[in-house]
Amino acid sequence: MFAHHNPHIMDIRGESVNMLALLRAVPKIHLGAVAYLEAYIDFVKPKLILSRTDNNPTLWQLKRRPNTTYKVALVQNGWRFEYADSVPHASIKKKYQVDGFLTFGDATTKILSSRLEGEFIEAGSIKANVFQKIERSKSDAPVVFVSTFRASKRKNYLQGTVFFEHLENICENHKKKVLIVGCERSDSGSQTEKEFYSSLFSSNNWEIVSRVSETSSYEFIRLASCVIVESSSLGYESLAMGLRTGYVAIRDRNRVTDRFGLPLEFGEKGPFWTNDPSEEEIGRILDYLLTVSDEQWERDSGWIRDQLMVHDYGNTKIRAYVEGVLTGSLKSN
């Protein structure tokens, strides 16, 4: 998006270490990573520090020094703001502050604005914003389930697996194929994920597809007649792109920590969400998603969707912000 500016990439997870910056940081070693990053920044002298590492308190402190000439802007990267401990708490001592924070929508802006100072810009997901909004549903397309399976945490997904039996039966009644959009990236992880779902489905009326590029999951869900998700950023991005999306809390813990729409509260059940993974409730959600008119879907979902994640096709807001900073034409609110 900003390649024409030849951006400098700063490693913050130990991928590489600049020894001159490290030596300069030694006198302030009590500050840990903050001192190293500040020393690194002083060498590069940037106009703007832009990062999708959104909940790292180190980056929240890069404006702590008085009279800094650079701006710090963070971009929300994931739906991790459901509950209180997922982002740092406000700290007068550490002076959490940024110049700009591009959030998914109003819901997370409300949480972040109580934790740090800065301008909050509701810009949606920079990946979902690559795609135009879908205005019409695809009645002849499969039902997509968004997987969050991690091979390293396989045991976490054993609870609630009867959900997939219910999903399979209901989709067969609707003469729909189930397409699982896989989560794992590596060959070994993808194979483990496929084996996991293979043990849960008894028919051949399903398929799993793996993530093969940064946008492949988005391309897959856009082929759906409707999307079913438990807890995933992609599920909220699906909603933002206009797809008919249903939310089912499959596992017990997700009925508390990953309830649909948190930090907002929409209740136990609604037209397209439920905290009850019974066959009856799954059937109700799918019946609704597969039969509701496009106009009614917009009336039922639009007012919720726009609070959770806006859709900014072409990423006009982040482009305008970055270009404004780099050209000196940015107007402060």
Side-chain angles (χ1 to χ4, degrees):
M1 196 183 299
F2 306 113
H4 57 290
H5 289 295
N6 296 315
H8 180 95
I9 307 301
M10 179 170 64
D11 295 329
I12 64 171
R13 292 195 176 99
E15 301 96 326
S16 65
V17 176
N18 183 296
M19 293 306 297
L20 290 177
L22 184 62
L23 290 173
R24 180 177 287 189
V26 168
K28 297 187 292 183
I29 199 64
H30 64 283
L31 294 172
V34 174
Y36 171 75
L37 293 187
E38 288 178 345
Y40 200 114
I41 289 165
D42 290 343
F43 279 122
V44 178
K45 301 186 187 317
K47 285 186 176 180
L48 171 67
I49 299 167
L50 182 71
S51 180
R52 291 178 67 233
T53 306
D54 51 6
N55 66 339
N56 184 331
T58 300
L59 297 182
W60 290 26
Q61 297 175 69
L62 294 183
K63 295 287 293 184
R64 69 178 190 89
R65 295 182 293 180
N67 303 318
T68 56
T69 59
Y70 55 82
K71 291 187 179 295
V72 178
L74 304 180
V75 182
Q76 186 174 350
N77 181 32
W79 197 267
R80 59 173 61 89
F81 301 105
E82 306 94 337
Y83 45 97
D85 294 332
S86 56
V87 290
H89 287 272
S91 172
I92 296 176
K93 181 180 179 180
K94 293 182 178 180
K95 297 181 181 179
Y96 289 154
Q97 181 180 357
V98 293
D99 292 287
F101 207 128
L102 291 103
T103 68
F104 284 165
D106 182 62
T108 47
T109 291
K110 287 178 179 176
I111 290 181
L112 289 169
S113 61
S114 68
R115 306 295 176 90
L116 77 167
E117 295 180 4
E119 177 187 5
F120 295 91
I121 304 165
E122 290 158 18
S125 160
I126 62 173
K127 287 188 178 181
N129 289 341
V130 171
F131 300 94
Q132 288 183 307
K133 186 170 287 188
I134 289 176
E135 303 294 343
R136 297 292 172 192
S137 63
K138 300 176 178 65
S139 59
D140 58 345
V143 170
V144 164
F145 176 76
V146 175
S147 173
T148 58
F149 179 88
R150 294 285 196 279
S152 61
K153 299 179 179 179
R154 190 178 189 279
K155 291 183 179 179
N156 292 351
Y157 299 90
L158 296 177
Q159 185 189 70
T161 52
V162 70
F163 162 84
F164 297 98
E165 178 184 340
H166 297 331
L167 179 65
E168 182 178 30
N169 292 338
I170 295 164
C171 286
E172 284 184 353
N173 291 338
H174 282 283
K175 295 180 171 55
K176 288 288 185 182
K177 182 176 183 177
V178 178
L179 177 66
I180 296 175
V181 174
C183 182
E184 284 284 1
R185 292 174 180 265
S186 68
D187 291 342
S188 60
S190 294
Q191 183 60 34
T192 302
E193 186 174 23
K194 182 177 181 180
E195 291 170 355
F196 173 78
Y197 287 110
S198 295
S199 69
L200 302 177
F201 288 92
S202 58
S203 72
N204 294 320
N205 196 34
W206 73 283
E207 180 184 1
I208 184 169
V209 289
S210 301
R211 296 170 71 180
V212 294
S213 71
E214 286 296 316
T215 59
S216 61
S217 295
Y218 300 86
E219 292 160 358
F220 288 134
I221 66 171
R222 288 173 66 82
L223 300 174
S225 57
C226 66
V227 177
I228 301 295
V229 64
E230 181 179 31
S231 60
S232 169
S233 298
L234 185 58
Y236 290 99
E237 290 167 314
S238 171
L239 190 65
M241 290 188 288
L243 287 148
R244 299 181 182 199
T245 309
Y247 302 80
V248 181
I250 300 171
R251 293 168 286 175
D252 289 346
R253 72 175 185 84
N254 285 353
R255 287 159 212 160
V256 178
T257 63
D258 291 81
R259 293 164 64 88
F260 168 67
L262 286 179
L264 304 183
E265 181 54 69
F266 297 111
E268 293 290 315
K269 299 177 183 179
F272 54 94
W273 71 90
T274 182
N275 278 332
D276 174 9
S278 66
E279 187 167 11
E280 181 181 2
E281 273 294 285
I282 298 165
R284 179 185 69 82
I285 297 291
L286 270 173
D287 286 344
Y288 168 82
L289 294 174
L290 294 172
T291 61
V292 67
S293 68
D294 292 317
E295 294 74 20
Q296 187 62 45
W297 167 249
E298 180 61 26
R299 286 193 291 270
D300 290 343
S301 66
W303 67 278
I304 293 176
R305 175 198 65 216
D306 294 343
Q307 295 179 76
L308 300 175
M309 184 176 295
V310 302
H311 186 257
D312 176 35
Y313 178 58
N315 284 305
T316 63
K317 293 181 180 180
I318 186 173
R319 290 177 187 274
Y321 183 89
V322 171
E323 298 296 341
V325 171
L326 297 184
T327 60
S329 60
L330 183 69
K331 296 180 180 179
S332 300
N333 290 344

